[in-house]
Amino acid sequence: MTDLPLEPWQWPEETWRAKVDRVRAGRNLKPKAWPNGARCAVALSFDVDHETNELRDGGKSVGRLSWGQYGNRVGMPRILSLLAKEDIQASFFVPAVTALLYPDEQRRVVAEGHEIGLHGWIHEVNTAVPPANERDLHLRSADTLEKVTGVRPVGMRTPSWDFSEVTLAIERELGLLYDSSLFADDDPYELIDKGEATGMVELPVEWIRDDAVYFNMNRFQALRPYTAPETVFDIFRREFDGAYEDGGLFLLTMHPHIITYRSRIWILEELIRHAKAKGNVWFASHAEIARYVKAQSGL
């Protein structure tokens, strides 16, 4: 007779401790000062999912696929136009399938001075993929983005911020500078892999600094947008103000098919104006910030 797996409340200490210790936050990497006397760093990022959200789930809804196409037809041009007008560099995390669908879009992103980072193959859920397949998908994604853009990515944001027990090992195999998928701090920190300091930088995310949680919609599920754009702006502004007061990092995650509607794009526009009005804020890509904090900390 096969023994049934233990319930979590039955686990011996070594089991739950090993799970907790697998990937941990290590040394805080918030620098004593940001470049050129800036009070805080602002990292604007866009997860360029386009059709891959629906493709990952089987690709059955033409309507939801067309929603993804909006991100390419309308969302990305609006974002890139705004960033060019404000002279700001940002980071774009791109599933490999998105890059294959829209190679010219990714080439434009790089040509305009922005960073492209890894975001899975088809926006798969890492914890639902066998480890060997996860490794293959991430390695193929890195090769694909490099082939499309001519630039090898140095950072990863896992799709849906889903991080498996082998994700960090794969990132280390890829030689990445940083990850931006985890939540253990407000400010950059070093990643610890099973007790070993890795030298990799984590640029932490948070759902409250993500547009999707406020505006996402699925008509066949109990998922409806419920937050007014004015409220979302207030949350983002308060997060920025807190980072500014602390001299830390403000990292914002957005999606081209969500933030760029006519009733929402002003949130990003006003947030940039608010930050610039402070007069001493460093807008930078994730890679630039990771390189700076790593150099300042001596990693």
Side-chain angles (χ1 to χ4, degrees):
M1 186 170 114
T2 304
D3 291 335
L4 293 174
L6 296 177
E7 295 291 338
W9 55 268
Q10 296 173 309
W11 287 345
E13 180 175 345
E14 58 267 24
T15 298
W16 52 257
R17 192 173 292 279
K19 289 182 178 294
V20 170
D21 289 343
R22 185 173 295 277
V23 178
R24 299 295 279 170
R27 189 158 43 124
N28 187 293
L29 301 180
K30 184 173 79 171
K32 293 181 179 179
W34 294 104
N36 302 317
R39 176 71 182 177
C40 78
V42 174
L44 300 179
S45 60
F46 302 89
D47 292 359
V48 190
D49 301 336
H50 294 353
E51 288 93 338
T52 62
N53 281 311
E54 179 61 18
L55 290 174
R56 174 197 63 195
D57 294 333
K60 298 177 181 178
S61 171
V62 173
R64 289 185 69 82
L65 289 170
S66 72
W67 186 31
Q69 190 179 15
Y70 181 94
N72 165 257
R73 288 173 62 89
V74 179
M76 286 294 284
R78 280 185 179 160
I79 290 166
L80 291 171
S81 176
L82 174 60
L83 294 175
K85 182 179 74 172
E86 297 291 347
D87 192 24
I88 289 172
Q89 272 63 58
S91 297
F92 293 77
F93 295 94
V94 184
V97 167
T98 294
L100 292 170
L101 285 169
Y102 303 108
D104 289 343
E105 176 185 274
Q106 313 321 317
R107 295 184 189 118
R108 178 185 173 187
V109 168
V110 171
E112 295 188 10
H114 305 293
E115 176 195 7
I116 284 186
L118 294 164
H119 198 47
W121 178 260
I122 197 167
H123 211 269
E124 64 277 359
V125 178
N126 283 338
T127 52
V129 176
N133 297 100
E134 182 186 348
R135 177 182 178 274
D136 175 64
L137 290 169
H138 287 313
L139 268 59
R140 278 199 286 139
S141 296
D143 291 342
T144 298
L145 291 186
E146 182 177 23
K147 183 177 180 180
V148 169
T149 68
V151 179
R152 187 79 172 178
V154 299
M156 179 187 291
R157 171 168 294 156
T158 59
S160 303
W161 299 338
D162 188 63
F163 209 92
S164 81
E165 293 185 343
V166 300
T167 302
L168 181 53
I170 297 168
E171 291 180 319
R172 296 181 72 184
E173 181 180 353
L174 283 166
L176 297 184
L177 168 67
Y178 75 89
D179 176 78
S180 186
S181 316
L182 301 175
F183 303 79
D185 207 315
D186 294 313
D187 296 310
Y189 58 87
E190 183 180 10
L191 284 167
I192 304 298
D193 186 358
K194 296 187 287 294
E196 177 189 359
T198 66
M200 274 188 64
V201 177
E202 177 65 34
L203 300 178
V205 293
E206 226 306 317
W207 289 109
I208 59 174
R209 295 191 306 273
D210 185 313
D211 59 358
V213 298
Y214 304 108
F215 297 128
N216 225 341
M217 162 77 178
N218 189 323
R219 63 177 295 221
F220 299 114
Q221 299 175 8
L223 185 62
R224 299 288 187 272
Y226 62 91
T227 311
E230 292 82 358
T231 302
V232 177
F233 171 71
D234 185 62
I235 293 168
F236 290 169
R237 178 183 59 80
R238 289 173 185 270
E239 283 285 316
F240 164 77
D241 288 346
Y244 184 86
E245 289 301 315
D246 289 343
L249 170 67
F250 173 72
L251 187 155
L252 185 63
T253 301
M254 294 161 284
H255 299 76
H257 68 291
I258 293 176
I259 195 64
T260 59
Y261 287 90
R262 292 166 178 151
S263 61
R264 297 175 186 167
I265 191 65
W266 70 267
I267 297 172
L268 179 56
E269 294 169 339
E270 288 299 320
L271 192 62
I272 291 171
R273 292 191 188 103
H274 178 72
K276 282 190 169 183
K278 297 288 188 181
N280 56 346
V281 170
W282 182 39
F283 287 90
S285 71
H286 286 43
E288 289 175 308
I289 292 170
R291 289 191 182 102
Y292 181 79
V293 301
K294 188 169 184 175
Q296 292 294 303
S297 66
L299 282 181

